[in-house]
Amino acid sequence: MNAIISASELADALRSERPPVLLDVRWQLSTAAASGQPFDGRAAYASGHIPGAVFVDLDRELASAPGPRGRHPLPDLDVFGAAMRRAGVSAGTPVVAYDGGIGWAAARAWWLLRWTGHPDVRVLDGGLPAWDGPLETETSAPAEGDFVPKPTEGAVLDADGAAALARSGVLLDARAGERYRGEVEPIDPVGGHIPGALSAPTSDNVDADGRFRPAAELRACFGELGVTRDVPVGVYCGSGVSAAHEVLALEVAGIPAALYVGSWSEWTSDQERPVAVGPDPQ
């Protein structure tokens, strides 16, 4: 099953006998919008969303509180499971997640559901800007779902696992190249990258409209970094959100990958961990 769905395919699916549950996961990395006011995903949802969609709060329901494990650690499974059931998610019901267009937050929801055992989850390619159908402002209240999260072995890396994978397989850094090289670091206390990690910015996986590049192109680009189905692959970013988008891009390319959820925000919380700078992975 393809991990992404186009707007036209979603419109058809919503008219089918088995419509998907819709998750609206609008979120922004920066809390300050252009107006100077913090971004409010719930307010964006209230101003207009795809009919039937339920708002999901990334910071509160798809992550736990920031701390030594990073800015967006794994959520408490009871909290995550309750949020998914509130949204109408059941084990046998297809799910589609979307966000404001960049795709990071929707990919985080997709990854969490896949990691915890849901078999049928997709991300709306291009997000809400790709949708040309109607919008509604009423808060959706679907029937309670029955989904119970059950984590999958091997899909999550911790700091030690990420460091080891950088030596034994391929560890991709999904942040912008200047952050990987340590030239700038707007969020975390130290710039640079995990020694051995390769720079693979998430922005390279999509076109100008924020839609994923064709699978063959993605495979070729990842292949240039030594990524194949026969090599263990892991991904990290700043806090485990944009890296989920890279895991999704790899899935589109037909390549499974693990996620280092704590990512750079966890790695740099321990000053004993080594940091590499510059374009050289080491």
Side-chain angles (χ1 to χ4, degrees):
M1 185 191 68
N2 200 342
I4 56 176
I5 184 171
S6 69
S8 60
E9 290 170 333
L10 176 58
D12 289 341
L14 290 173
R15 291 190 292 265
S16 72
E17 295 181 356
R18 191 168 169 255
V21 170
L22 290 176
L23 307 180
D24 184 311
V25 202
R26 273 179 277 183
W27 170 86
Q28 286 185 7
L29 175 62
S30 173
T31 58
S35 64
Q37 298 298 317
F39 177 78
D40 187 338
R42 195 175 298 276
Y45 168 85
S47 69
H49 52 269
I50 298 176
V54 174
F55 178 72
V56 176
D57 190 318
L58 185 147
D59 290 315
R60 294 175 176 82
E61 296 172 321
L62 304 185
S64 53
R69 293 184 300 132
R71 286 194 306 279
H72 291 103
L74 288 173
D76 179 281
L77 289 183
D78 288 339
V79 172
F80 173 65
M84 293 300 98
R85 291 189 293 274
R86 172 184 60 83
V89 176
S90 291
T93 305
V95 179
V96 173
Y98 71 88
D99 57 25
I102 196 169
W104 294 359
R108 172 78 175 212
W110 167 84
W111 181 84
L112 281 167
L113 280 165
R114 290 297 303 274
W115 171 59
T116 55
H118 199 289
D120 190 352
V121 190
R122 288 180 283 181
V123 168
L124 176 57
D125 197 16
L128 189 60
W131 176 256
D132 58 3
L135 298 177
E136 67 178 14
T137 57
E138 296 81 9
T139 298
S140 302
E144 183 89 356
D146 63 15
F147 179 70
V148 177
K150 297 177 181 178
T152 304
E153 293 289 334
V156 178
L157 296 171
D158 59 12
D160 290 342
L165 188 58
R167 298 187 298 268
S168 64
V170 178
L171 181 65
L172 301 178
D173 185 318
R175 299 171 300 160
E178 58 268 24
R179 292 184 69 190
Y180 170 88
R181 295 187 296 270
E183 296 165 359
V184 298
E185 182 44 64
I187 305 172
D188 294 307
V190 180
H193 57 271
I194 297 173
L198 303 177
S199 180
T202 299
S203 57
D204 292 347
N205 300 326
V206 296
D207 62 21
D209 293 325
R211 293 178 174 85
F212 282 99
R213 294 164 64 184
E217 286 186 19
L218 290 171
R219 271 194 301 276
C221 289
F222 287 126
E224 292 175 359
L225 296 173
V227 174
T228 69
R229 289 187 59 86
D230 301 322
V231 176
V233 181
V235 186
Y236 75 95
C237 58
S239 66
V241 178
S242 65
H245 190 269
E246 184 118 304
V247 173
L248 176 57
L250 286 157
E251 180 78 9
V252 171
I255 300 166
L259 176 66
Y260 174 25
V261 180
S263 285
W264 192 243
S265 59
E266 180 191 37
W267 185 268
T268 56
S269 69
D270 183 346
Q271 297 182 3
E272 297 297 317
R273 294 191 183 111
V275 170
V277 295
D280 190 327
Q282 302 299 331

